[in-house]
Amino acid sequence: MADVPYSPLTRKRRTFSGSSQIWSGGDHLLLVVTNWWVQKYHRFRLREIQGITVARRPGFLPLQIVLLVVSALLLAAAMWATASTAGRVAWGVLSAPVIFAQIVDITRGPRARVILRTAVSEVRLPAISRLRAAREFLRQVEPAIRAAQSDIAPLTAPPAPGAFSLPPPAIPADRLPKAMLYTLLGSAFLGSAGSLFAIAKNLTGPLAAELWTIALLALASGIYAVVTVSKPLLRVLAVLLVAAILVDMGVTVWAWAAMISERRATLAMPPWFVRYAWVAHPAQMLVAAIGGALAWRDHRRASDKLKGRS
Amino acid sequence: MSARLPCGNCGVAIRPEYWNDPEGTMCDGCSEPVLAVAFPAWGHQTAVALPEGVAAEGESSCFHHPASRAVMACESCGRFLCALCDMDLDGRHLCPGCLERGVNDKAPGLDDRRVLYDSMALHLATWPMLMFYMIIFTAPAAVYLAIRHWNTPTSILPRTRARLWIALVLASLQMLAIASLVIFLIWFVPTFGSGGKK
């Protein structure tokens, strides 16, 4: 394999710590994983590849679109309410990356996970993370693999009994999907931006400064709990939490809109809401903390199971 | 390893009746769409040849297994090998010892990792510019890495020496800037000091 003329099969997928890419080397595929300054190589001879599976990852498109719309509305309101040009530029610089990242994430299509199987290994191909890229990859490599295996007679015997029984999942189902992680990070950012906005406008309402940070983080935790928690009681609790936070956010947005449209300097919350919030917010934070602790416990258990299995 | 094609999300095996179906199916485990492609090699195990015993006196035997008939000579060290010791690597026949030595010595086609000194030098020459005082230490280090590893084999993929050149130029400029700053301080600071006394 010396001096193999490699040609790229996929685009380079960059992560925080490096990148990964798949190259074609004539009679083999080369998976290159770069981690900081070390490049690792995995070679798969075309004759030895037994199968490839592509699985679409769970998506949260409706939630992403809602967040995108909320982000855009918040940005528009902030830009409109800020008098100075510098302030508007600051808002744009702060918000544009989040909005742009969400738009790019949505337009790139659903995520996917690709597994390549040989006689002795099952390897995930980290270089392919989108369904569109996975289909393109298959379109390119499938003819080459079939041509390389043209002299191998396919097995006609049915699979051995038990070969297709359902084994324990290799990957815990309750692990946080990446799309959700992005949404959580976006929520946290927007929460911080909202509180910054409140501080910048010198709003002295009872909850103005911290409301968005707490509400959005708690909302994200609540949605995570609704998605992942399987126990009915906890799920009901999480749904109540999400509903309570949505009430908070709805009332606050209404109050902000009223303040901006009437050109007032202070945020006027309905009195009932102030009383409600003093009770509801600690409860929301408590429930979110319990949800987080339970999620962490489940994650640890799943990790221990995987370690025990390997 | 059981013969199965697993879903990438949950690890549950995809039913064989849906293999090679261009439309795919829904996974039994996670209910997400999955696509499985099985190739003719599916289910074939790697053939393991068993050594044969030495049939007649005077027949060559394996270096590692004297009781087994030699079928091949190692292309690296020339030792006779039986079917068990013959390691077929992309058409080359090697003994286990030479194969291991090749992996350790990073022979072409056998290396499984490489250190990218050019990227390391470039990062040392660029990132610390954000905190300029760090370049006192990192610029010489970048120059050292670029010169020391100028001829070290880098990635097995197509790659030019552009990173090394850029690192060398940037780090040299940084060192020049440090030297200029030091000269400036030595030349002007006493002057300012004496000027104040006068």
Side-chain angles (χ1 to χ4, degrees):
Chain A
M1 290 180 202
D3 299 327
V4 178
Y6 284 111
S7 55
L9 269 178
T10 63
R11 295 176 65 181
K12 188 181 278 188
R13 184 185 168 219
R14 295 180 187 280
T15 58
F16 175 71
S17 60
S19 63
S20 56
Q21 193 174 17
I22 299 173
W23 295 68
S24 168
D27 65 342
H28 67 281
L29 301 180
L30 179 73
L31 170 65
V32 181
V33 180
T34 308
N35 203 349
W36 294 110
W37 306 301
V38 177
Q39 221 168 40
K40 293 179 184 171
Y41 309 114
H42 305 265
R43 295 176 181 85
F44 306 100
R45 294 183 68 187
L46 297 183
R47 282 182 64 80
E48 292 169 358
I49 296 173
Q50 296 194 341
I52 297 174
T53 59
V54 177
R56 197 182 77 174
R57 300 283 290 150
F60 296 89
L61 186 62
L63 187 61
Q64 281 179 297
I65 291 174
V66 167
L67 268 167
L68 185 64
V69 172
V70 169
S71 314
L73 287 176
L74 276 174
L75 175 64
M79 297 278 264
W80 188 71
T82 308
S84 69
T85 309
R88 288 181 180 180
V89 170
W91 275 114
V93 170
L94 279 173
S95 309
V98 173
I99 294 174
F100 181 71
Q102 292 279 354
I103 290 171
V104 168
D105 193 38
I106 291 169
T107 52
R108 286 181 70 197
R111 285 184 165 75
R113 187 169 277 185
V114 180
I115 305 283
L116 187 147
R117 188 184 194 287
T118 67
V120 294
S121 64
E122 273 173 15
V123 179
R124 188 169 81 83
L125 303 180
I128 306 170
S129 64
R130 299 283 172 168
L131 200 56
R132 203 181 299 159
R135 286 189 182 279
E136 177 62 21
F137 171 71
L138 273 182
R139 192 185 64 74
Q140 289 187 64
V141 300
E142 194 178 345
I145 295 173
R146 292 202 184 278
Q149 298 182 6
S150 56
D151 59 331
I152 300 176
L155 292 183
T156 51
F164 300 102
S165 60
L166 306 184
I171 303 155
D174 60 351
R175 185 172 287 179
L176 188 65
K178 205 163 185 182
M180 194 65 187
L181 184 67
Y182 274 94
T183 308
L184 279 173
L185 289 174
S187 306
F189 177 85
L190 283 175
S192 304
S195 57
L196 274 175
F197 171 67
I199 293 163
K201 294 299 291 180
N202 195 23
L203 302 177
T204 53
L207 301 163
E210 293 84 14
L211 183 63
W212 280 98
T213 307
I214 294 168
L216 282 168
L217 286 176
L219 180 67
S221 306
I223 291 169
Y224 178 60
V226 172
V227 172
T228 58
V229 167
S230 55
K231 289 174 184 158
L233 185 63
L234 286 175
R235 185 167 279 197
V236 168
L237 212 58
V239 170
L240 285 175
L241 168 74
V242 170
I245 298 164
L246 288 175
V247 168
D248 280 0
M249 294 170 75
V251 172
T252 315
V253 167
W254 172 80
W256 275 8
M259 180 195 75
I260 291 168
S261 62
E262 292 165 15
R263 298 271 176 182
R264 281 189 281 105
T266 52
L267 195 68
M269 291 288 193
W272 67 267
F273 180 75
V274 177
R275 285 195 296 276
Y276 154 84
W278 282 113
V279 180
H281 277 208
Q284 286 167 13
M285 290 173 68
L286 184 67
V287 173
I290 292 170
L294 288 172
W296 176 249
R297 188 198 61 178
D298 290 348
H299 175 74
R300 287 297 299 268
R301 280 183 181 173
S303 303
D304 291 346
K305 272 185 196 170
L306 275 179
K307 280 177 194 166
R309 198 181 301 149
S310 62
Chain B
M1 181 181 292
S2 62
R4 65 196 194 96
L5 289 177
C7 166
N9 284 328
C10 59
V12 170
I14 299 165
R15 292 178 188 278
E17 54 263 36
Y18 295 112
W19 291 3
N20 298 324
D21 182 351
E23 299 300 318
T25 183
M26 304 300 277
C27 174
D28 290 335
C30 60
S31 303
E32 290 291 333
V34 286
L35 190 67
V37 182
F39 297 107
W42 178 81
H44 287 273
Q45 295 299 313
T46 307
V48 178
L50 293 175
E52 297 172 25
V54 177
E57 197 172 333
E59 232 175 12
S60 304
S61 64
C62 174
F63 177 81
H64 301 286
H65 306 100
S68 301
R69 179 190 291 168
V71 294
M72 191 68 64
C74 175
E75 291 180 20
S76 177
C77 65
R79 286 171 177 158
F80 286 150
L81 307 171
C82 64
L84 196 63
C85 296
D86 174 26
M87 302 280 161
D88 182 2
L89 185 83
D90 202 26
R92 295 171 66 198
H93 293 271
L94 301 172
C95 69
C98 290
L99 183 68
E100 189 181 351
R101 217 166 17 254
V103 171
N104 290 338
D105 295 346
K106 307 293 180 201
L110 291 179
D111 45 1
D112 59 349
R113 67 171 60 201
R114 281 196 185 173
V115 179
L116 306 176
Y117 291 105
D118 53 351
S119 293
M120 200 185 287
L122 184 63
H123 289 163
L124 273 175
T126 49
W127 287 356
M129 285 200 287
L130 295 171
M131 294 176 287
F132 71 94
Y133 48 85
M134 291 290 287
I135 64 174
I136 297 168
F137 308 104
T138 55
V143 169
Y144 168 76
L145 274 178
I147 294 171
R148 169 72 180 75
H149 294 286
W150 190 263
N151 289 319
T152 304
T154 177
S155 170
I156 65 171
L157 301 170
R159 198 172 172 98
T160 64
R161 283 190 174 139
R163 290 174 183 80
L164 285 174
W165 274 112
I166 295 170
L168 204 56
V169 170
L170 276 177
S172 303
L173 287 174
Q174 289 168 10
M175 288 172 71
L176 202 64
I178 296 167
S180 306
L181 185 67
V182 170
I183 291 168
F184 173 82
L185 290 175
I186 292 170
W187 190 262
F188 284 99
V189 168
T191 312
F192 286 129
S194 59
K197 281 173 189 171
K198 284 176 186 177

